[in-house]
Amino acid sequence: MFRRIGNVVVRHPVWTIVAWLIAAVAIVATAPSLPSNSDESSFLPKSYESIKAAELQEKAFPSAFTPSAIALYQRTDGGRLTAADRKDVARITSELGGEHIDQVQKVVPGQPSKDGKYAMTLVQMDSKNAGQPKQVDAAKELRKDVKDLAKGTHLDVKLGGSAAQALDQEDSSKRGQALIGIGTFVIILVTLLIIFRAPILAVLPLLLIGLVSAIANGLIAYATKLFDLQANSSISSILIVVLFGVGTDYFLFLMFRYRERLRAGDEPKQAMVNAVDRVGEAIASAAGAVIIAFLALVLSTLGFLKQMGPALAIAVGATLIAGLTLIPAVVSLIGPKVFWPSKSWQKEPENARFAALGRGVQRRPALTAVLSGLVLVVLSLGTLGFNATFDLASGSMPKTKESMVVQDEMQQAYSAGAAAPTDVYLSSTDGKPLDRAAFGAYAQKLGAVEGVANARMAQVNKAGTTADFTVTLKYEASTDKAIDAVGQVRDVAHSAAPDGTEALVGGMSSIFKDIDSAVTHDYRTVFPVAALLIMVILGLLLRSVVAPWYLIASVGLGFGATLGATVWIFQKGQGHSGLMFMLPVIMYLFVVAIGTDYNILMIARLREEAREGREPREAAGMALRHAGPTVAAAGFILAATFATMMLAGNALLTEMGFAVSFGIAVAAFVMAMFFTPSLTALIGHAAWWPGHGDQAKPTASGAGTGPSDASGGDGRDSVTHDPAGRRG
């Protein structure tokens, strides 16, 4: 199949390129805009209690006041507010309400702080558009207007709240994407220049993957609209590194093989056909493992991850098709001039370092397996200290952003939970009015829960069938203590509900509590499904039942080592209270999927060496000698590309960038180079049971009859340098 693809593309390169350009123009011109949603509650399905509580609030209290933005005032000298200052606050609040800003429904004064140094203006917006671009625009206008109204006073005013956080998050995301994009381009350009010493080859993948990126983003926008998926600004940053990182990997695999066939004496166009034929299966299998791992996120209960899975799968799918069609078409048009001005492509490098590593694995496979496995196990011990945090807002932007400063100052000036109180909704189950005489005792029981600052009955709906009890926690809504406290509030709210009533607990802490439960569900569902599907791909590729088990086990060890190292760096080293809650899910999928890629590349080369008649240990040594440089180059570029996410300046992308880049480095430089080949050498022929994947096959005649080198090779010419006398 891959030879047929190569033949068609190389025979009709111009038409192939034109087809891609037409597709790009059509998709980019007609694709809908990709919306962004930062409303945490929208990530959860309707079956969770916090979402049921939000729906009940909309029905029972449609005009209930829930601030989307908070203007926080303090004197410029930090002193107590004077009578004149309070008058200024009242004036600003009144005039702000008279602005009639889109999305703004109410503007009311808030409570002053107990120390008299702070005052608030509370702004309610349309809850149906929470986190949407309309409210981001409204927050931008609010922030400008409130600062303009405070000019000429002794007041310093800042805008916080969920709408302002969405605005700051969007701004931070744009800056982060720019830094990530620049960093990604520089890393790929410099690394390819060092490897090939050819400017055309260094620039070419950036141009081609840029075209693929435009198409992928358009397809993702279509899928998001078609399937009504949630979108998040962090996805764009991840897409950049996935497209350029994975795309460069596939480009490298193809170009190494193309160079090898040229060295073997193939005519340039035939060399590209042979390269696609030989490396196509490995690229397709590697991409298939990544796509399946990403699609497993569809099983997640979180809208954010449901969107991320298909989006990343579409991106990798587009990159795979480009790797088998667009890249071969362009390179076949250019021919060997693509390597200009370097002459090194014409001769075989010695690769003495990888040859020495290969001999080490061949002589001492048991020692290599134990040492590399021990490194993974020791790093994995860090997972025992893992703790999750749920503050998406502060995790997705620097603490210096205005909305984050407001959040921190409100925690100091008011009760830490005042900015996001918990609501307990007590409803009649038979439609009869509630017994108001029981409200006092019920509120008292809620207020007695450990971690609750106060609880009071706030309002009753017109029918008298639902009462809203406002519970203020002692802790900020996203902290572990707040989440534990709201769990106890739920227990008391349910058990203490009078006969004929039921209670639902809502608010941000309740949402985070449900997100915690959802993530736990995802760990138990997404992880094993992704692993099982990847094992199926490995089994089909290798025609083996044994190999997929130890390959996926080694990748699992790599995941544990990555998570453990991330815990030690950020929790133990930098004193973070925990890691972002979705990090293990994302890290698992990236590390498992991409880690499997490098295992596929190495094990496929090992199989080719075995088919040449070598015994398991010798085959493992030769596989590392020949495929090692490819895995090293690809692993370095991909790890460095993901590391650019650390430039974004927020906790979420910093943690994600470190974790994924470290995991890829472990996958390439520990698992694929040492752990996997040494284990395969130790297991021997049994690794290929019940098939006979390592048995020698008759060599076909004609061009391209050497080992298929599904790993993409490292550019070695096995014709002139193989002591076993293999043919090119």
Side-chain angles (χ1 to χ4, degrees):
M1 179 180 75
F2 297 105
R3 174 167 286 275
R4 287 198 295 271
I5 292 173
N7 272 318
V8 170
V9 169
V10 171
R11 285 177 184 173
H12 309 286
V14 174
W15 286 112
T16 302
I17 296 168
V18 169
W20 270 92
L21 291 174
I22 291 173
V25 171
I27 292 172
V28 171
T30 60
S33 60
L34 186 64
S36 180
N37 195 341
S38 59
D39 178 20
E40 287 87 347
S41 64
S42 67
F43 297 163
L44 289 167
K46 295 182 178 180
S47 58
Y48 283 88
E49 181 170 347
S50 59
I51 307 305
K52 291 180 179 178
E55 292 176 343
L56 176 60
Q57 176 192 343
E58 290 183 7
K59 292 179 182 178
F61 308 103
S63 60
F65 189 90
T66 304
S68 299
I70 301 171
L72 185 67
Y73 307 89
Q74 67 179 130
R75 282 185 61 84
T76 53
D77 60 10
R80 291 173 62 89
L81 297 175
T82 65
D85 294 331
R86 289 192 288 273
K87 285 184 180 180
D88 285 331
V89 170
R91 174 186 59 80
I92 293 171
T93 301
S94 176
E95 292 183 12
L96 199 61
E99 296 281 350
H100 301 295
I101 297 172
D102 181 44
Q103 297 295 307
V104 173
Q105 296 175 329
K106 288 182 182 178
V107 180
V108 301
Q111 294 292 323
S113 63
K114 292 180 180 179
D115 60 10
K117 293 184 177 182
Y118 293 88
M120 294 188 295
T121 294
L122 307 178
V123 181
Q124 181 180 6
M125 297 186 185
D126 187 351
S127 61
K128 295 179 181 178
N129 294 323
Q132 297 295 335
K134 289 181 179 180
Q135 290 201 1
V136 172
D137 294 339
K140 188 174 184 178
E141 189 172 350
L142 269 172
R143 180 172 284 171
K144 178 182 180 299
D145 288 353
V146 76
K147 291 181 185 295
D148 288 343
L149 291 170
K151 287 180 179 178
T153 70
H154 297 287
L155 296 172
D156 176 42
V157 58
K158 302 182 187 72
L159 191 75
S162 59
Q165 288 175 354
L167 171 62
D168 289 341
Q169 186 176 353
E170 182 182 87
D171 179 66
S172 178
S173 176
K174 288 179 180 178
R175 176 181 174 275
Q177 285 180 41
L179 289 172
I180 289 169
I182 294 170
T184 298
F185 272 61
V186 170
I187 287 170
I188 293 174
L189 188 66
V190 171
T191 307
L192 289 179
L193 277 173
I194 292 172
I195 292 173
F196 291 106
R197 296 187 290 281
I200 297 176
L201 265 182
V203 174
L204 192 60
L206 297 175
L207 297 177
L208 298 182
I209 299 167
L211 176 65
V212 176
S213 175
I215 293 175
N217 275 291
L219 293 174
I220 290 165
Y222 273 120
T224 300
K225 184 176 181 180
L226 181 64
F227 298 105
D228 194 26
L229 299 171
Q230 300 294 341
N232 187 276
S233 54
S234 296
I235 291 176
S236 298
S237 301
I238 299 169
L239 274 174
I240 293 172
V241 292
V242 167
L243 281 163
F244 283 91
V246 174
T248 304
D249 265 9
Y250 298 162
F251 179 83
L252 277 174
F253 302 154
L254 186 67
M255 292 312 300
F256 273 131
R257 188 58 177 172
Y258 176 59
R259 187 175 67 178
E260 180 177 347
R261 296 315 310 160
L262 288 174
R263 286 174 178 166
D266 289 357
E267 181 271 330
K269 289 189 178 295
Q270 189 60 44
M272 180 55 71
V273 173
N274 289 337
V276 174
D277 177 35
R278 301 296 174 79
V279 83
E281 183 182 21
I283 290 179
S285 299
V290 178
I291 290 170
I292 280 182
F294 288 155
L295 286 179
L297 283 175
V298 173
L299 301 175
S300 170
T301 51
L302 296 174
F304 168 71
L305 294 178
K306 278 180 178 290
Q307 156 68 5
M308 179 179 286
L312 296 180
I314 289 170
V316 175
T319 307
L320 166 63
I321 296 171
L324 297 177
T325 59
L326 179 61
I327 293 173
V330 173
V331 174
S332 67
L333 271 181
I334 301 172
K337 291 180 181 178
V338 75
F339 297 104
W340 179 87
S342 173
K343 303 290 186 181
S344 63
W345 65 273
Q346 298 174 350
K347 58 184 178 181
E348 172 63 23
E350 293 299 326
N351 285 330
R353 186 173 303 169
F354 288 94
L357 291 174
R359 288 193 297 271
V361 170
Q362 178 178 339
R363 293 169 183 169
R364 299 181 179 84
L367 180 62
T368 303
V370 169
L371 289 178
S372 56
L374 188 61
V375 169
L376 300 176
V377 170
V378 170
L379 288 174
S380 297
L381 295 177
T383 60
L384 300 176
F386 171 73
N387 185 51
T389 59
F390 297 86
D391 188 358
L392 281 175
S394 63
S396 57
M397 70 184 102
K399 285 287 188 181
T400 54
K401 285 293 184 181
E402 186 170 325
S403 58
M404 291 294 95
V405 174
V406 171
Q407 179 175 290
D408 292 340
E409 289 182 351
M410 284 192 65
Q411 290 181 35
Q412 297 172 8
Y414 298 83
S415 171
T422 296
D423 290 287
V424 177
Y425 299 101
L426 189 67
S427 299
S428 171
T429 56
D430 55 11
K432 296 179 181 179
L434 296 168
D435 179 11
R436 301 194 179 212
F439 288 173
Y442 189 66
Q444 189 174 6
K445 290 180 181 178
L446 293 174
V449 174
E450 184 178 354
V452 172
N454 60 74
R456 60 184 178 83
M457 201 286 291
Q459 57 186 329
V460 181
N461 68 340
K462 292 181 179 179
T465 55
T466 301
D468 175 12
F469 294 81
T470 299
V471 178
T472 304
L473 303 178
K474 296 178 181 178
Y475 318 109
E476 195 275 320
S478 64
T479 61
D480 293 339
K481 290 182 177 180
I483 293 170
D484 291 340
V486 86
Q488 296 180 49
V489 169
R490 281 185 178 183
D491 293 339
V492 172
H494 297 160
S495 62
D499 293 338
T501 67
E502 65 176 0
L504 291 174
V505 180
M508 289 309 303
S509 293
S510 186
I511 289 172
F512 291 134
K513 177 73 174 176
D514 287 339
I515 288 177
D516 190 17
S517 300
V519 170
T520 301
H521 165 271
D522 290 351
Y523 290 164
R524 297 172 180 172
T525 305
V526 176
F527 283 21
V529 168
L532 181 63
L533 292 176
I534 291 173
M535 285 180 65
V536 170
I537 285 184
L538 289 171
L540 292 174
L541 171 67
L542 302 174
R543 281 77 170 175
S544 167
V545 172
V546 176
W549 285 99
Y550 69 82
L551 289 176
I552 203 69
S554 69
V555 176
L557 265 179
F559 164 77
T562 303
L563 180 57
T566 308
V567 168
W568 272 331
I569 293 290
F570 291 97
Q571 286 186 214
K572 308 298 183 184
Q574 297 189 11
H576 291 193
S577 60
L579 305 178
M580 294 306 296
F581 67 90
M582 79 281 280
L583 184 63
V585 175
I586 295 171
M587 187 173 64
Y588 174 86
L589 293 168
F590 276 103
V591 173
V592 168
I594 297 173
T596 303
D597 280 3
Y598 296 131
N599 271 342
I600 287 174
L601 297 170
M602 185 60 73
I603 201 76
R605 179 64 194 237
L606 194 152
R607 179 180 61 181
E608 296 303 324
E609 297 293 343
R611 284 176 174 176
E612 291 299 312
R614 291 185 170 86
E615 287 302 310
R617 293 193 179 197
E618 185 185 4
M622 293 300 293
L624 178 54
R625 176 184 178 183
H626 295 311
T630 308
V631 172
F636 173 79
I637 289 179
L638 196 57
T641 301
F642 273 102
T644 60
M645 294 172 68
M646 298 174 69
L647 299 173
N650 66 65
L652 173 60
L653 291 180
T654 298
E655 291 173 2
M656 192 182 300
F658 170 82
V660 177
S661 60
F662 184 86
I664 290 169
V666 167
F669 296 100
V670 180
M671 289 189 300
M673 283 199 189
F674 299 105
F675 196 62
T676 296
S678 60
L679 274 181
T680 306
L682 286 173
I683 296 172
H685 297 291
W688 309 98
W689 184 87
H692 305 286
D694 63 334
Q695 290 188 0
K697 291 186 176 182
T699 303
S701 61
T705 56
S708 68
D709 187 11
S711 68
D714 62 340
R716 294 188 58 83
D717 177 2
S718 56
V719 180
T720 58
H721 293 273
D722 191 338
R726 288 183 295 174
R727 299 172 56 197

